[in-house]
Each structure stands twice: as structure tokens, then as C-alpha cells.
């Protein structure tokens, strides 16, 4: 009896009995198809090598943020110098930013999160529309959006500034959030994912059941597109966080600045305290790392939805 | 279900965002209008700068606060621009076009003519005349466009010579007073693997033009209401010959001024002398703090090119009154006051253009072995070649750096750098639509 | 909203089509509005700039201190099209693209397949690790790479033969390609991963029952189904490479021999900033229009080639 139950362990009258047969989780292969350990080992080796390639420079960054300028050019890059300048660098960072560093991090968080949320929502809505609806002027719209990608954004910054100035939006948080929330790339991603992840039959069925479009979108489509949305959100979040040309022109008040702009200002000096700047950057990357792990569940949501399709 | 949570979360975040917006919109940044509309209320002047405001410096906001306290009728708001000089020019251009430019802005001397041509600067000759006596003649001249004055000078960058006195003594070198002596010192020092100078291609544009000025040349003149460009005069040829010799004989450190290799050469003791701008004194020796080389360096006047004591301008900026400023008189009053706050400005690492010698800060004294550095630098400011105006569009001469890098590695002769300067200058002036004499 | 009752499988007619069109535009609307504000209007302004030039109004040395916006027709565009520096730079970035993009896309796809293959458990960690480089702000990455590439201070020099120069004229493109690959592989990998999540797992079950190995599943099922995402990734990479800016700017700051016009985007940006003559809005816009045309042409060519293959 207990043997047929789909649980990993079960207690019998004689104490805990470890089950041999367990149903694999949704993301695991069925036991009969479990890969050979050798293959798994190779995969892990490849991934670890890739990890080294991508993370070694980040490791350098961490080590460098504990060094003074002099140490940076004299000591071995991949290990710490005898002198730990981390506290000095932190104090330099606070001093050079007039004590506004954490405020700037907060600003960046606000801009990136709001732009990310709005941008993802709008991009996915537009992508969904292009993928699943026929509407007049669709081809032209797609062409125009594509065209928007072709012109380098840096050239558009000055006209954008003048436009926002006319609208009275310069030197406000919207000056950064609105442009950052517009992601033609996000629309195309949304379109590609909507095409592949959202079966038209499902939508049709829901329509027949009497659901209106908004309900279909928010309850069915968004769930299916969860991993896509997480991806688009991350892209917009990071792009907004690292963008400094736009805030450079749009924002002049010190307390509205995003953190990357502040760090850029520190770097524009002839003899920047490099360790302090790097420390600032690392502290800025932390929110992203936390965010990344917090969004893991939404990746799985899409997987589960995919598994029960069809 | 995750989807409902997702949707709910989206709406919540948007709600929070909107709330935050609502709150910050009340407190948020104001429009940067240069002036106050009320005629009876206090006048507000905006001042955009890119002073470092770094660790250990008196923040600009604090300096401005002093003024604001004593002048309730003229209130000043300072904003720091976080980018490079060229980006600030773009922002100024855009702001003034939009009608909300600052009243006062920090402009590099080499940019002043170009900004004037673009119609961004105001003619404040009469106002400036009141304060001219407070500043060194050479510096004041750099705020002139033709015979119009557009602001007041803030800091200067005359070339000086930094050297490690201890290392010099050890090698039996004399502190060079002429460039020939410098070349001789270079030959002696290189036998021991030491360099008494650095050839820095990434600074070629300002650094070599300054040396040409130090050698007595004038690159940009006018005749017949047309620009006359000559970057290959006798002075420039002297400069060219000097560095060619040093590079050929491998007696000079070749590398970017702002690269890590330069810092390394400094810290490992292979670089024991440097022809640099006066404002480098504020941080040049920072990497040596706490090492045994601390306190061994000194600063001296630039070795001459065979003329009397003269040096050339390598950087420095002034504060200009921008077009559209409604209160130029008050702006200039503040301008003069600010640029005569000699001690505070020195803490920002500036070599002030105003007359008088500020006391050398403790940090500098420590790094330069108790030398009265700032009086030496003040002498250099007085020795600036008074006749070295810049052309509009001088920043396009960055092509010099490109050629300099090739010259540094020996691919082309150093004189090519000056030829590049000539051709680029003439074509740039033409591109700007201004009259220039042929070649 | 009222719904239209249709029998499953029938095409909507009349009121249905209009409603579909309406719904399509409603979903597009938020993005469309913001796109017009943030992209379309600045693009139109920017394009207009290309046909104008700032000309001194007065005479004399300084042009009377006033510039006038003057219509110059195709002058700027002709100057741009005949600019040797522009085409030299364009040649460089196209060569760059030909090598760097395939390498990056293949590696990104490979890593995505590995992470999706269920061969390893700690997927989240690797995903974060590979994406992290993209999150490092450009100014910081600049400092980092310059340091790692400068022979006198780089910690890699210990392990490489003496005289290795990452920043010589013959090697600098490869060094920049490394920077781009390092930064964007994780980014592209995420695009592929999200697309892979969409594939229903019963396809795999069926294939396994037929005796297919993991490799065959990867190549015969997964890769073809992420084709659209791959197409998008490559198109975006092509456009991004034609607009290559960050990496060469970083390299130029330590290598003056490159000059301010090493890539077309550097030329455009420095023209806008006055560091390169001809300078100003007019010439800069002309250069960027030309860049957009080339990028568009490349994108179209690639898309056509892909379609023919399919």
C-alpha cells in the first residue's frame, strides 16, 4: 500500500522507511532515462569553466575594491594586498558622493523597478497583440518599431531632452522612468515568446467560455509568459540601472541622480579613487543579485504551465 | 495561483511607484530656470560646475552657502555636473537652446572661443573690467574672445616640472632650467634605467600645445579678419626636436598619462621627473603616500626653450556668463567673489587664477617635503605666455593624440603631430563656416 | 465587454474582425503611445537635423557669435557617405560582427541547452553567474578590462608568454570581441532559456519513448523550436555591433592611436561632442542615418538568408 504512494518517505509502524521509488520532480528526467554520471560530469565541467570565464573578472573587481590606488598598480591582481583599504574606500565613496550614495542607490532602485514593471507589462501586451491579433496597420507598426531599433539611442537623447523640457518633465523621476520603460526589444521578445508559448487554441477556448480579453490576458497569458516576463524585466532593469547618458542630460538635482551617474562623475576626475568607485559598483550590483534570486519562482511557474499543456 | 499573484504584484508595484512619484513630485527637482521672475524679490543665479567636490575638499555647496548668507538679495544655486567636459558643453548647449540654461557655467579655456561662436556666451566686458585687477593677466586674457570678455578665470594650468630630488641627487643630476639640460639629464638617468620625463600621447593635444606656447609660439592668430593657423613655427619645431631625440634614444617613459603603467612607473621608481600641468600637484604623488618615496619630490619651473622664463597653458577653466542670463551684473559679482575664495578653491585642487598666494595645504607640504608648492605654482601662472589664444573648435585637435601615440611607438616622427594639428585646425575652422587663410 | 459566441474553428467575421482589430490596438496602445513620445518624435527631429547645419550668421573671426539653422539639403549626407573614416570604421565593425556574433550565439545557445538539459541541478546559480557580467556598469567594466589588458599591471601576464599585447593594432579587435562576448553571452543565453521553457515536455517524453538520446533531442527538437528567438538574438546583435561603441571607447581611452573615429558610432558620438570635425547635430545625424541604413540592410539580408534556409 505505502509502496504505491507517490511520496519520498513514509513512516511505517517500524519507523521511517526510505522509499526507493520516488516520483521525480517536474524538472527532472524520469528515472529510466537518468543520464550517465559521465555525461553529467562533463556537463558540470563545461559549466564550471564557463563560470570561471564569467566570474573571474568579477572576482578581480571584488579584490580590487579592497585596494588603494597605489596597491592596484603594484600588487598581484588576483589576491589581496597586505593592506585592507576597504573601509578607506567606503569612506572615500561616501565623501565623494556628498553622503548621497545610498540615496542614489534608492533612486536607481525606484527608476529601474518602475521602468521594469511598466516596460515589461507594456512590451508583453504589445508583443501579445502582434503575435495573436490581426489589426489594421500591424505590419507598418512592426516596421516602425524595428526602425526605432536601428537608430542609435545616443543620438536621440538630445531631442528627447528638448521634448521633455517642453513637457516640463526634465529633472523629475519621470524623465528617466518613461524613456527607460519603452523597450522595442522587449516587444519583439514578447512577440516571439507569445508566438511559441501561448497556444491560440487555449485563448479561443477561453473566449468561447465567455472570458473577456483582459481576463484572458491577465489570468492565462501572463502565467504562460512568466519566464519571458522575468527575462524582459531583468533586461529593462539592468539597462535602466546602467544607463548614464540619459540621466546625465535629464537630471541636474543631486538628490535625483541614479547611482551609475554618480559613479561616472567620480570617474570623470583625473585621479579617481578607483577602489571606491569599484566598491560603489559592487554595492550597486547587490540589489540585482537579490532580485534575480527572488524572481526564480516565476521561471518555474512557466515551466509548470508548459508541462501541463496539450 | 502564481498568475494572480503576479498580476497583483504588478498592480501593487505600480501603485507604490505612483505614490512615490506623487510624493517626490512635490519635493522633486525644480526646473533649472536661471533667474527669478520677481523684480522685488531676491535674484537667483544658477551656477553649473564640474569641480571634483572630493574627499577632504571644501564642498562647493559650502562655499556658496557662505555667499548666500551674506547676500540675501543675490541667492546662488550651484549644481555639479557629473560628466566629462565635452558632455557638459552638450548639456549647456541643449539647456540654453531650451531656454533654461544656467547663468554661470565652468568652461575650459580652450572651449571658450567655440562656445562664443555657437552663441552661448554673453559679452560682459564692462562688468569684467571692474574685476580685472584681481587676476593674473595671462589667465584673464584667456576669457577674451577677440576684444570681448565673457567671464572671469577660475584656475590655470601652466606647465611645471616635477622631479624626485632624492633620486636626482643620487644620480648626480642638476635640476634642469633649460630643455637642453633636461635632455642631458635624460641621457644620464637612462643609463640607470630611470626616466626624467614622460611622453604621454593621451595628453598630446593640450600638453604639446602648451609647450609650443612655452617656446614662444602663437598658433592661432588673425589677419584680414581671417584666421591664421601656424602650428609648425620655430617654437613647435623646438618642442618636436626635443621629444624626438628622447624617444629615439629611448630616454623617456612612453605611455598614457592616465594609464596604469604610469602609476606603476611612479611607484616602482623608474619615473623620477615629469613635465606636467600645475594642477597635477594635487594628486600626482598620491600613489607614493606611505612608501619610502614619500616627500622626495619637488616642483620647479618649466625648463625653458632658450627664451626667458615662460610657460604655456595646459588646461584650466573660467566661469562664463551664459546667454539668457537675466542678471549678468549680479552674476559677475558672485563670479568674482567665488573665484577669489583662494583657500577654498585650492582645497579643490585648483591652481587659482586670482592674484595672491594661498597657503600650501598640509597634504601637499607632506608630499613635497615641506616645499611651498603654491608659491612656485603662482610664479608659473605669472609666467604664462600672454599671447596664446585658442581657435573655435580646438577640441577637434584630438587628432594630435592619435598621431602622438604612433610617434611614441616610433612609427612616425614627432613633427607629424604638429602637421596633424595644422591640417585638422584649418579644416575644422572651415567646417565651422569661419574664414581661414588657405593652407 | 460582451463576447462574441463563435463555433470553435470558424473564422471570425464582420463584427468579430473589427473587434479583433480593436482589441489588438488596445493591447498595443500603452506601448504605442510611449513609443511615439520617446522614439518616434526624437527620430523625426533627428532625421530633420541631418538636413540642416549650424552656420555663423555674422562675419569675422567668430561669426558674429550667433549660429543660424540653415537648410543644406543633402550636404551632410554626402559628407557622411564620402567620409573615409566612416567606411573604414564600418568595415571594422562588420568584420568584428562576422566573427564575434556566431561565437557568442553558439556559446549562449550551448549554455542554455546545457542548463535546460536537466543534467545539472543548481541551474539558478549558473544562470545568475552567466548573467552577472551584463549587470556590471560600463564605466566599471571599462576600468576592469583596461586593467586586465595593460601589460604592466595585468595579473594574467604571469601566465602568458612575454610580449603578449592585448591592445596592439593586430589584437585589439579580438580583445574587444572578448569584452563583448563576456558581457552579452549571458544575456543571449537568457533569451534562449526563456524560449526553451516554452517547449512542452511531452515532446521530450515522446522522443524518449522513441529511443532518442539527449543529444538528438537537443538538436532535433529544441534547436529548431527556438529558431525565432535565435533569429531575434542575432538580428539584435547585428544592430548592436554596427553601433559598437562602449568597447572601442574604453580601449581608445588607453590607446590614443585608435583615434576618435575607430567605429562609426564613435565617429557619430564624437562629432556630436565636437571632438571630431565635422561636428554638430547635422553631421552627427547624417552619420547615424547612414549607420541605420547599413544596419537595416544587414538585418534584412540576414533575415532573408534565414528564411531561405528554413
Amino acid at each position: 500500500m505505502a509502496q504505491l504512494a507517490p511520496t519520498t518517505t513514509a513512516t511505517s509502524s517500524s519507523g521511517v522507511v526510505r522509499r526507493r521509488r520516488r516520483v521525480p520532480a517536474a524538472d527532472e528526467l524520469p528515472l529510466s532515462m537518468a543520464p550517465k554520471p559521465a555525461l553529467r560530469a562533463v556537463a558540470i565541467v563545461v559549466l564550471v569553466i564557463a563560470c570561471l570565464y564569467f566570474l573571474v573578472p568579477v572576482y578581480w573587481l571584488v579584490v580590487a575594491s579592497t585596494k588603494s590606488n597605489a596597491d592596484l598598480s603594484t600588487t598581484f591582481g588576483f589576491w589581496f594586498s597586505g593592506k585592507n583599504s576597504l573601509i578607506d574606500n567606503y569612506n572615500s565613496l561616501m565623501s565623494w558622493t556628498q553622503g548621497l550614495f545610498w540615496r542614489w542607490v534608492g533612486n536607481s532602485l525606484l527608476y529601474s523597478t518602475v521602468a521594469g514593471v511598466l516596460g515589461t507589462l507594456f512590451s508583453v501586451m504589445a508583443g501579445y497583440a502582434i503575435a495573436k491579433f490581426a489589426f489594421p496597420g500591424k505590419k507598418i507598426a512592426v516596421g516602425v518599431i524595428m526602425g526605432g531599433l536601428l537608430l542609435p539611442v545616443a543620438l536621440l537623447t538630445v531631442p528627447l531632452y528638448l521634448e521633455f523640457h517642453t513637457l516640463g518633465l526634465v529633472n523629475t523621476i519621470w524623465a528617466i522612468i518613461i524613456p527607460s520603460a519603452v523597450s522595442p526589444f522587449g516587444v519583439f521578445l514578447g512577440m516571439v515568446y507569445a508566438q511559441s508559448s501561448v497556444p491560440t487554441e487555449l485563448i479561443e477556448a477561453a473566449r468561447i467560455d465567455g472570458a473577456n480579453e483582459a481576463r484572458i490576458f491577465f489570468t492565462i497569458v501572463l502565467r504562460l509568459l512568466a519566464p519571458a516576463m522575468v527575462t524582459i524585466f531583468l533586461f529593462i532593469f539592468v539597462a535602466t540601472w546602467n544607463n548614464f547618458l540619459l540621466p546625465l542630460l535629464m537630471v541636474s538635482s543631486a538628490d535625483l541622480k541614479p547611482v551609475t551617474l554618480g559613479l561616472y562623475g567620480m570617474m570623470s576626475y583625473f585621479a579617481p579613487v578607483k577602489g571606491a568607485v569599484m566598491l560603489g559598483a559592487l554595492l550597486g550590483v547587490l540589489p540585482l543579485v537579490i532580485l534575480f534570486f527572488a524572481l526564480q519562482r516565476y521561471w518555474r511557474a512557466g515551466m509548470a504551465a508548459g508541462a501541463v499543456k496539450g | 495561483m502564481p498568475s494572480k499573484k503576479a498580476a497583483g504584484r504588478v498592480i501593487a508595484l505600480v501603485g507604490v511607484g505612483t505614490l512615490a512619484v506623487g510624493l517626490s513630485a512635490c519635493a522633486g527637482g525644480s526646473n533649472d530656470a536661471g533667474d527669478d521672475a520677481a523684480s522685488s524679490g531676491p535674484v537667483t543665479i544658477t551656477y553649473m560646475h564640474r569641480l571634483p567636490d572630493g574627499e577632504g575638499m571644501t564642498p562647493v555647496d559650502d562655499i556658496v552657502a557662505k555667499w548666500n548668507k551674506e547676500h540675501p538679495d543675490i541667492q546662488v544655486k550651484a549644481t555639479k555636473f557629473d560628466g566629462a567636459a565635452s558632455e557638459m558643453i552638450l548639456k549647456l548647449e541643449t539647456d540654453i537652446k531650451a531656454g533654461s540654461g544656467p547663468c554661470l557655467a565652468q568652461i575650459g579655456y580652450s572651449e571658450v572661443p567655440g562656445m562664443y561662436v555657437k552663441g552661448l556666451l554673453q559679452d560682459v566686458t564692462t562688468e569684467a573690467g571692474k574685476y580685472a585687477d584681481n587676476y593674473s593677466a595671462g589667465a584673464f586674457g584667456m576669457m577674451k574672445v577677440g576684444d570681448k570678455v565673457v567671464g572671469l578665470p577660475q584656475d590655470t594650468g601652466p606647465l611645471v616640472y616635477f622631479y624626485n630630488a632624492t633620486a636626482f641627487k643620487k644620480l648626480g643630476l642638476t635640476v634642469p632650467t633649460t630643455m637642453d639640460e633636461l635632455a642631458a639629464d635624460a641621457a644620464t638617468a637612462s643609463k640607470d634605467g630611470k626616466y626624467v620625463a614622460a611622453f604621454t600621447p593621451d595628453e598630446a593635444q593640450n600638453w604639446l600645445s602648451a609647450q609650443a606656447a612655452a617656446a614662444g609660439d602663437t598658433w592661432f592668430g588673425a589677419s584680414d579678419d581671417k584666421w591664421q593657423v601656424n602650428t609648425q613655427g620655430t617654437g613647435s619645431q623646438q618642442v618636436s626636436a626635443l621629444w624626438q631625440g628622447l624617444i629615439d634614444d629611448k630616454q623617456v617613459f612612453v605611455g598614457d598619462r592616465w594609464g596604469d603603467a604610469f602609476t606603476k612607473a611612479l611607484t616602482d621608481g623608474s619615473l623620477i621627473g615629469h613635465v606636467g600641468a600645475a594642477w597635477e600637484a594635487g594628486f600626482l604623488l598620491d600613489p607614493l603616500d606611505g612608501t619610502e618615496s614619500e616627500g622626495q619630490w619637488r616642483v620647479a619651473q618649466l625648463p625653458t626653450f632658450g627664451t626667458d622664463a615662460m610657460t604655456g597653458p595646459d588646461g584650466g577653466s573660467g566661469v562664463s556668463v551664459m546667454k539668457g542670463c537675466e542678471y549678468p551684473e549680479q552674476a559677475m559679482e558672485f563670479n568674482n567673489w567665488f573665484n577669489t575664495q583662494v583657500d577654498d578653491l585650492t582645497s579643490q585642487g585648483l591652481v587659482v587664477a586670482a592674484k595672491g598666494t594661498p597657503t600650501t595645504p598640509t597634504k601637499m607640504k607632506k608630499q613635497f617635503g615641506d616645499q611651498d608648492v603654491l608659491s612656485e605654482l603662482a610664479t608659473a601662472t605669472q609666467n604664462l605666455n600672454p599671447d596664446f589664444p585658442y581657435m573655435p573648435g580646438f577640441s577637434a585637435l584630438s587628432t594630435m593624440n592619435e598621431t602622438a601615440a604612433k610617434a611614441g611607438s616610433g612609427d612616425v616622427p614627432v613633427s607629424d603631430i604638429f602637421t596633424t594639428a595644422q591640417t585638422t585646425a584649418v579644416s575644422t575652422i572651415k567646417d565651422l563656416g569661419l574664414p581661414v587663410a588657405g593652407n | 465587454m460582451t463576447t462574441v459566441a463563435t463555433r470553435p474553428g470558424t473564422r471570425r467575421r464582420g463584427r468579430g474582425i473589427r473587434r479583433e482589430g480593436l482589441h489588438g490596438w488596445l493591447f498595443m496602445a500603452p506601448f504605442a503611445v510611449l513609443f511615439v513620445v520617446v522614439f518616434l518624435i526624437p527620430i523625426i527631429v533627428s532625421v530633420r537635423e541631418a538636413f540642416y547645419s549650424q552656420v555663423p550668421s555674422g562675419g569675422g573671426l567668430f561669426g558674429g557669435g550667433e549660429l543660424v539653422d540653415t537648410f543644406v539639403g543633402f550636404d551632410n549626407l554626402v559628407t557622411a557617405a564620402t567620409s573615409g573614416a566612416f567606411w573604414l570604421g564600418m568595415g571594422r565593425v562588420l568584420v568584428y560582427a562576422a566573427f564575434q556574433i556566431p561565437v557568442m550565439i553558439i556559446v549562449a545557445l550551448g549554455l542554455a541547452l546545457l542548463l535546460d538539459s536537466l543534467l545539472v541541478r543548481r541551474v539558478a546559480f549558473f544562470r545568475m553567474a552567466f548573467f552577472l557580467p551584463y549587470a556590471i556598469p560600463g564605466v566599471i567594466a571599462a576600468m576592469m578590462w583596461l586593467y586586465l589588458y595593460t601589460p604592466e599591471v595585468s595579473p594574467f601576464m604571469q601566465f602568458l608568454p612575454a610580449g603578449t599585447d592585448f591592445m596592439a593594432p593586430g589584437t585589439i579587435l579580438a580583445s574587444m570581441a572578448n569584452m563583448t562576448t563576456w558581457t552579452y553571452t549571458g544575456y543571449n543565453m537568457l533569451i534562449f532559456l526563456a524560449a526553451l521553457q516554452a517547449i512542452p515536455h511531452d515532446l521530450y517524453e515522446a522522443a524518449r519513448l522513441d529511443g532518442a538520446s539527449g543529444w538528438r533531442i537537443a538538436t532535433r527538437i529544441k534547436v529548431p523550436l527556438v529558431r525565432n528567438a535565435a533569429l531575434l538574438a542575432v538580428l539584435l546583435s547585428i544592430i548592436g555591433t554596427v553601433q559598437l561603441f562602449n568597447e572601442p571607447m574604453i580601449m581608445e581611452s588607453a590607446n590614443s592611436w585608435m583615434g576618435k573615429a575607430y567605429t562609426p558610432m564613435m565617429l557619430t558620438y564624437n562629432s556630436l561632442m565636437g571632438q571630431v570635425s565635422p561636428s554638430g547635430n547635422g553631421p552627427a545625424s547624417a552619420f547615424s542615418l547612414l549607420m541605420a541604413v547599413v544596419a537595416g540592410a544587414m538585418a534584412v539580408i540576414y533575415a532573408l538568408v534565414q528564411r531561405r534556409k528554413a
Side-chain angles (χ1 to χ4, degrees):
Chain A
M1 304 156 297
Q3 269 178 329
L4 299 170
T7 50
T8 50
T9 60
T11 45
S12 72
S13 48
S14 55
V16 173
V17 177
R18 203 133 172 279
R19 294 287 143 212
R20 283 238 208 94
R21 217 171 248 257
R22 65 184 173 85
V23 175
D27 64 339
E28 278 191 340
L29 289 168
L31 283 170
S32 56
M33 311 254 55
K36 302 192 280 285
L39 203 56
R40 193 163 262 187
V42 167
I44 292 188
V45 164
V46 170
L47 286 175
V48 165
I49 292 177
C51 237
L52 282 176
Y53 174 68
F54 289 112
L55 290 186
V56 156
V58 179
Y59 165 72
W60 177 87
L61 212 52
V62 171
V63 168
S65 63
T66 66
K67 293 187 181 171
S68 64
N69 271 3
D71 276 351
L72 273 177
S73 26
T74 47
T75 59
F76 178 56
F78 288 132
W79 196 245
F80 302 91
S81 70
K83 175 171 134 193
N84 184 355
S85 309
L86 190 61
I87 305 291
D88 286 340
N89 283 338
Y90 184 78
N91 290 332
S92 289
L93 184 64
M94 291 301 122
S95 170
W96 275 86
T97 57
Q98 312 296 314
L100 287 170
F101 178 75
W102 290 112
R103 162 92 201 216
W104 290 348
V105 172
N107 288 342
S108 286
L109 269 174
L110 174 69
Y111 301 150
S112 298
T113 311
V114 177
V117 167
L118 290 179
T120 307
L121 188 62
F122 297 160
S123 297
V124 168
M125 282 169 70
Y128 171 61
I130 297 174
K132 297 292 178 188
F133 290 78
F135 51 90
K138 176 157 101 162
K139 282 222 163 83
I140 300 177
V142 172
V144 168
I145 298 176
M146 191 75 180
L149 278 176
L150 290 178
L151 232 76
V153 177
L155 259 287
L156 303 179
T157 316
V158 171
L160 189 64
Y161 174 80
L162 291 171
E163 191 186 345
F164 270 51
H165 186 269
T166 326
L167 295 171
L169 287 174
V170 287
N171 217 24
T172 66
I173 67 172
W174 296 115
I176 300 179
I177 292 178
I178 294 177
S180 305
V182 183
S183 173
F185 166 55
V187 170
F188 287 122
L189 263 186
M191 178 188 82
V192 165
Y193 292 136
Q195 272 165 353
S196 50
S197 322
V198 179
T200 319
E201 313 85 59
L202 202 61
I203 304 177
E204 290 286 349
R207 284 193 189 121
I208 289 164
D209 281 350
N212 67 36
E213 295 296 339
R215 253 197 87 187
I216 295 177
F217 181 72
F218 282 102
T219 57
I220 300 179
V221 178
L222 282 192
R223 185 152 58 96
L224 289 172
L225 287 179
M229 285 177 65
V230 169
T231 310
I232 298 176
F233 177 82
L234 282 175
F235 289 165
I236 298 182
F237 186 94
V238 172
T240 312
W241 189 282
N242 292 342
N243 186 4
F244 73 87
L245 188 59
L246 181 72
L248 189 65
L249 284 187
M250 289 285 191
V251 161
S252 17
S253 303
D255 46 1
L256 284 181
K257 288 180 186 167
V259 71
T260 319
L261 181 59
L263 291 178
Y264 184 66
M266 275 178 76
M267 282 300 290
S268 296
Y269 181 57
F270 292 111
V273 185
K274 295 184 178 176
V277 180
M278 288 189 257
L279 182 61
L282 283 175
L283 290 173
V285 164
L286 278 183
L288 177 83
V289 175
I290 297 172
L291 190 71
F292 200 91
F293 285 115
L295 290 173
Q296 289 305 305
R297 65 216 304 276
Y298 295 108
W299 239 296
R300 309 200 140 270
M303 287 179 63
V308 292
K309 267 201 302 261
Chain B
M1 286 197 291
S3 66
K4 283 220 175 94
K5 267 204 198 145
R9 202 157 289 199
V10 162
I11 295 170
L13 271 168
V14 173
V16 166
T18 320
L19 195 60
V21 163
L23 291 172
S24 64
C26 308
S30 51
N31 206 348
D32 246 8
D35 335 279
D36 203 2
S39 51
S40 52
V43 161
T44 315
I45 308 277
T46 39
Y47 167 42
M48 191 190 287
H49 69 90
R50 46 185 165 79
L51 295 170
D53 262 356
E55 214 176 349
M57 304 177 182
T58 316
V60 170
D61 286 342
D62 287 1
I63 309 175
V64 168
K66 263 193 279 179
W67 164 276
N68 281 339
K69 209 161 110 184
E70 293 160 22
H71 297 84
D73 48 335
I74 307 178
Q75 291 291 291
V76 174
K77 180 160 174 279
T79 47
K80 175 173 150 74
F81 181 79
D82 269 324
S86 54
E87 287 152 355
M88 179 155 163
I89 301 224
L90 184 68
K91 173 139 174 85
L92 284 173
E93 224 180 305
T94 320
D95 275 352
I96 293 174
K97 211 195 282 190
S100 65
C103 225
L104 292 167
Q106 174 183 350
I107 318 258
Y109 294 131
S110 57
E111 297 288 352
V112 169
M115 297 283 281
Y116 181 78
V117 168
K118 286 188 192 166
L120 301 171
L121 305 180
Q122 237 184 86
D123 179 1
V124 287
T125 317
T126 26
E127 289 301 322
K130 287 196 272 186
Y131 309 112
D133 285 336
N134 295 342
Y135 303 93
S136 96
F140 190 79
M142 291 202 268
M143 290 309 285
K144 278 202 188 146
V145 178
D147 47 3
K148 304 186 172 61
V149 185
V150 291
L152 292 173
Q154 186 169 74
D155 69 308
T156 58
L159 285 182
V160 292
Y161 185 64
F162 301 98
Y163 66 99
N164 184 329
T166 318
F168 265 48
K169 200 173 285 177
K170 201 151 79 155
L171 291 171
L173 303 169
T174 48
V175 182
T177 49
T178 67
M179 283 303 182
D180 287 333
E181 286 176 27
L182 180 69
D185 280 349
T188 321
S190 67
K191 295 205 187 87
D192 259 39
K194 309 272 187 224
Y195 300 116
V196 296
F199 182 77
T200 51
D202 59 343
E203 280 290 319
Q205 181 186 4
N206 289 314
W207 185 68
L208 286 177
S209 59
Q211 286 176 52
D217 265 11
T218 302
W219 278 12
F220 307 108
S223 91
D224 255 0
D225 230 16
K226 275 199 205 164
W227 282 99
Q228 297 278 1
V229 177
N230 183 12
T231 65
Q232 297 168 293
T234 31
S236 308
Q237 289 167 23
Q238 277 182 290
V239 175
S240 177
L242 168 72
W243 292 104
Q244 188 68 66
L246 291 175
I247 292 174
D248 284 343
D249 298 336
K250 300 209 190 316
Q251 293 168 349
V252 68
F253 171 86
V254 176
D256 277 355
R257 171 65 185 87
W258 311 113
D260 295 305
F262 186 93
T263 318
K264 185 140 193 281
L266 209 55
T267 46
D268 69 17
S270 53
L271 188 65
I272 57 172
H274 174 53
V275 172
W279 41 260
E280 293 187 44
F283 53 82
L284 173 71
L285 303 176
D286 280 356
L288 298 176
D289 281 350
T291 67
E292 53 175 32
S293 310
E294 187 179 358
Q296 292 180 349
W297 286 66
R298 303 283 180 275
V299 67
Q301 295 304 311
L302 184 73
T304 66
F305 282 91
T307 58
D308 334 300
M310 187 149 67
T311 181
D314 182 347
S317 22
V319 179
S320 236
V321 179
M322 312 304 290
K323 264 272 164 67
C325 178
E326 285 179 18
Y327 302 100
E329 199 186 312
Q330 292 90 328
M332 283 296 278
E333 205 187 316
F334 168 75
N335 197 357
N336 176 60
W337 178 88
F338 188 83
N339 287 321
T340 47
Q341 298 306 299
V342 160
D343 282 313
D344 285 336
L345 290 179
T346 308
S347 79
Q348 291 268 352
L350 304 180
V351 179
V352 291
K355 285 188 187 153
T357 314
T359 32
T360 307
T362 351
K363 174 183 170 221
M364 223 182 250
K365 273 213 150 114
K366 193 153 169 253
Q367 289 182 332
F368 284 87
D370 243 15
Q371 182 185 11
D372 190 0
V373 175
L374 288 184
S375 78
E376 201 70 42
L377 299 182
T379 315
T381 305
Q382 299 304 321
N383 288 343
L384 275 171
N385 181 339
D387 190 21
F388 195 80
Y390 290 101
M391 59 175 256
F394 184 76
S395 38
L397 264 65
S398 58
T399 44
M400 285 173 69
N401 297 359
E402 201 179 331
T403 318
K406 299 191 182 122
S409 44
D411 296 335
V412 302
V414 174
S415 54
D416 270 10
I417 306 176
F418 296 91
T419 319
T420 307
Q422 180 77 25
T423 36
T424 313
V426 171
S427 66
T428 304
I429 298 180
K430 275 209 189 106
D431 283 336
L432 285 173
L434 298 171
V436 60
N439 61 332
Chain C
M1 242 177 224
T2 54
T3 54
V4 175
T6 51
R7 289 196 302 278
T10 58
R11 287 278 296 130
R12 286 152 155 227
R13 293 206 197 94
R15 236 165 72 204
I17 290 184
R18 279 208 301 279
R19 181 153 282 133
E20 188 181 349
L22 175 66
H23 288 145
W25 272 112
L26 280 176
F27 277 114
M28 278 291 284
F31 179 81
V33 166
L34 288 186
F35 181 82
V36 168
V37 170
V38 173
F39 274 86
L40 212 49
I41 295 181
I43 287 178
I44 293 172
V45 170
S46 194
V47 169
R48 175 200 175 274
E49 296 276 353
F51 297 97
Y52 282 76
S53 203
Q54 306 272 39
V55 174
S57 60
L61 291 181
F62 300 101
E66 204 64 56
L67 289 176
V68 170
D69 231 10
T70 321
F71 182 71
V72 290
F74 286 101
D75 281 1
N76 287 333
L77 287 165
V78 168
T79 315
T82 53
S83 158
F86 179 86
W87 292 111
L88 197 52
M90 187 57 83
R92 285 190 195 107
V93 296
L94 290 179
V95 166
Y96 189 95
F99 287 100
Q100 192 266 335
I101 296 180
V103 169
M104 179 178 66
I105 297 292
I106 292 174
V107 171
L109 185 56
L111 289 175
L113 287 171
L114 261 183
L115 288 183
D116 188 61
S117 67
L118 311 174
L119 283 174
V120 268
R121 308 277 323 265
R122 300 227 180 292
V123 176
F125 166 76
F126 286 112
R127 222 170 19 214
M128 169 89 265
F130 299 157
F131 184 65
L132 199 56
Y134 178 67
I136 307 280
V139 254
I140 312 303
M143 243 199 310
M144 185 179 79
W145 283 111
L146 279 179
Y147 189 88
L148 293 175
Y149 281 156
T150 305
E152 289 86 350
V153 290
S154 168
F156 286 124
M157 282 304 152
Q158 301 197 344
F159 314 111
L160 291 167
T164 320
D165 190 356
F166 292 113
M167 301 202 280
T171 56
I172 200 149
L173 277 182
S175 301
M176 293 199 292
N178 176 51
M179 290 164 70
T180 310
T181 308
W182 182 82
T183 310
Y184 288 99
T185 301
Y187 179 92
N188 284 299
M189 183 197 74
L190 277 196
I191 296 179
F192 289 129
L193 263 182
L196 284 170
Q197 311 280 21
I199 302 175
H201 287 209
D202 26 324
L203 277 182
Y204 303 152
E205 303 296 325
R208 281 194 203 103
L209 287 174
D210 283 347
S213 74
W215 174 258
R216 287 200 70 159
I217 291 180
T219 50
R220 291 298 165 83
I221 301 181
K222 292 188 180 184
V223 170
L225 284 179
V226 298
R227 164 178 280 118
N228 282 339
L231 181 64
L232 187 64
V234 172
L235 282 179
L236 290 167
S237 299
I238 291 177
I239 297 175
T241 312
V242 169
Q243 295 178 4
L244 192 67
F245 180 73
N246 284 328
E247 286 83 355
M249 278 293 268
I250 294 169
M251 290 283 107
E252 196 271 336
S253 70
N255 291 284
S256 311
W257 57 262
M258 288 169 70
K260 301 279 179 195
Y262 200 71
T263 66
M265 188 61 205
M266 274 179 74
L267 176 60
T268 308
Y269 183 81
N270 283 321
S271 170
L272 188 64
M273 292 290 174
Q275 310 273 65
V276 160
S277 198
S279 65
N281 284 331
S285 288
F287 283 128
S288 58
L289 269 182
L290 209 50
M291 266 201 312
V293 165
V294 175
M298 292 289 123
V300 164
I301 292 174
Y302 180 74
L304 286 177
V305 166
Q306 274 304 98
R307 203 147 296 175
R308 205 140 296 176
K309 268 199 212 159

